[in-house]
Amino acid sequence: MSRMDRNKLNIGTYILRRYARTEQHIKDIADCGIDFVVSMEDDKAALDLFERYGVGAIVARVVPSWWGGDGENAGTMAQRNPLSVYDTCGAKFVDHPAVWGIDIGDEPSALDFPHFGKIVDKVNRVFPNQFAYINLYPNYASVAKNTEEETLNQLGTPSYEEHIAAYCRNVPTDYICYDFYLYEIGETWHYEDLRIVADACLRTGRDMWIVLQMNKGGPEHWISTNKLRFQAYSSMAFGARSLIWANYTAGWFVNAILDKDGNKTEQYEKLKEMNRELRTIGPEYMKFRRVSTHFIGFDGYPDMERVHQKPIDKLDTGVFFDVHAEDGEPIVVGQMVSCNNDGSYALMVCAADDPMDLHEKEYNVVFRASDRRISAIGGNGYIPVVKREDGFYAVTVRSNSGVLITAR
């Protein structure tokens, strides 16, 4: 049985180097609002501290590692990592209460999905207290030359949508996890990736997990708290149920949460604030599940042709009517229903007017509603909902913020 509480909005991070595994460091992880660490080593002393502070680990290198890379090794995993070696790995493994998952691979080609499906079954049997963890490519998966042929070599399918469909056919996880680094590629690519993965999760009854960008490629760039907000709340508008920040210590970006000496950078307080907001909105948000997502007020928005879903001016759900930003600002709105079928409905709204954090402002999201009790909660708690003389409800939001509007 999994040690991860899947009823809560789980927050993870990638990579904890040995220089950052003292008791104070691990206490700081818990204080930052992080539930689990991915790509952790099977380090008993550190795992004892994880257990003490309530942090979980998804451990790497317990079983043979695999990374799709540039696609040159696509289709060779069955030969290189035969199923028989996983039994041997399980016999050597010493279980620990802090170990939630076993990392079985990162960004595989679809050519290896059939073998990954067998590995998931094997790992779930050999490691009965853990789940098999696998992370997928984003939709901009490519290699150095960025030719169409080489992109096919990396994904193993003609399109990203087919890549995700092949995963769902072959790999029996109850979640889909993928990484997307928005501030390397752009928000419209992010929207299209969210659309594809979220709709696949809806069709197959899976949870969506997403690895988001905490750091950036150049040393002069420090991602702002508002950029963290935009990534998190836009993902939640598509129903994300686990958010994983990359990276905590040195990894594939610079300006990590801790520097090379294990000292906190300015990113620590930013992430702590972001996670505090997620802890505030999370319990109410997790009472609902996503059924659709809409782009409202995006007409004329740059590069929206990448997103294979037409924007709308206003949203009617049968419970909420004429949903839009009062002055036409773009908002991403997830339509949600109660997980326990108690007749409650919700909208998860991301204020999407300023993803690059250039001109933050405040404005109203307005809507009409049927005869129900309306409330709204954001990262700082409950938000006033004003019923106006014109019959519209109004909720004030700030750029990049998220708000869950409920109707009971």
Side-chain angles (χ1 to χ4, degrees), residues 315-369:
L315 173 65
D316 292 343
T317 72
V319 175
F320 300 95
F321 303 92
D322 296 326
V323 182
H324 64 286
E326 192 165 35
D327 294 328
E329 293 88 351
I331 55 176
V332 184
V333 180
Q335 179 184 355
M336 308 185 84
V337 298
S338 169
C339 291
N340 63 10
N341 299 312
D342 65 1
S344 300
Y345 298 88
L347 301 175
M348 182 65 214
V349 179
C350 173
D353 59 294
D354 187 25
M356 295 300 137
D357 194 18
L358 299 175
H359 46 75
E360 182 184 9
K361 64 179 181 177
E362 194 172 84
Y363 53 94
N364 286 330
V365 172
V366 297
F367 56 94
R368 294 183 296 108

Side-chain angles (χ1 to χ4, degrees), residues 164-333:
I164 295 299
Y167 179 87
C168 292
R169 286 195 305 272
N170 290 283
V171 186
T173 57
D174 60 358
Y175 65 90
I176 302 174
C177 182
Y178 75 101
D179 54 59
F180 195 96
Y181 304 129
L182 187 155
Y183 295 103
E184 306 300 312
I185 194 70
E187 67 269 25
T188 51
W189 289 84
H190 173 58
Y191 291 146
E192 176 64 356
D193 220 339
L194 285 168
R195 182 193 69 80
I196 291 170
V197 178
D199 286 352
C201 287
L202 183 63
R203 287 193 303 271
T204 61
R206 304 178 194 223
D207 289 346
M208 184 171 76
W209 300 2
I210 183 169
V211 183
L212 300 172
Q213 186 175 5
M214 186 72 221
N215 329 119
K216 198 162 168 55
E220 70 280 11
H221 297 294
W222 295 85
I223 288 179
S224 68
T225 309
N226 261 344
K227 289 181 178 179
L228 301 183
R229 289 187 178 106
F230 176 73
Q231 292 179 83
Y233 292 129
S234 59
S235 300
M236 291 167 68
F238 280 85
R241 301 182 81 79
S242 186
L243 306 172
I244 307 169
W245 300 103
N247 297 296
Y248 198 83
T249 57
W252 46 93
F253 292 122
V254 298
N255 296 338
I257 298 166
L258 303 186
D259 66 19
K260 62 182 177 59
D261 298 314
N263 300 313
K264 295 174 186 174
T265 69
E266 65 183 72
Q267 299 306 84
Y268 180 87
E269 291 300 329
K270 295 175 188 176
L271 184 58
K272 186 176 182 179
E273 169 60 19
M274 181 72 255
N275 290 345
R276 182 199 61 75
E277 292 187 17
L278 295 173
R279 292 277 178 247
T280 301
I281 196 173
E284 191 70 12
Y285 167 81
M286 291 296 286
K287 294 176 183 177
F288 297 88
R289 58 181 176 83
R290 176 231 183 219
V291 295
S292 63
T293 306
H294 306 273
F295 299 98
I296 303 173
F298 277 79
D299 282 345
Y301 195 86
D303 301 321
M304 281 300 287
E305 69 274 4
R306 291 198 181 102
V307 185
H308 296 162
Q309 179 177 327
K310 187 176 179 180
I312 59 177
D313 295 328
K314 297 178 182 180
L315 173 65
D316 292 343
T317 72
V319 175
F320 300 95
F321 303 92
D322 296 326
V323 182
H324 64 286
E326 192 165 35
D327 294 328
E329 293 88 351
I331 55 176
V332 184
V333 180

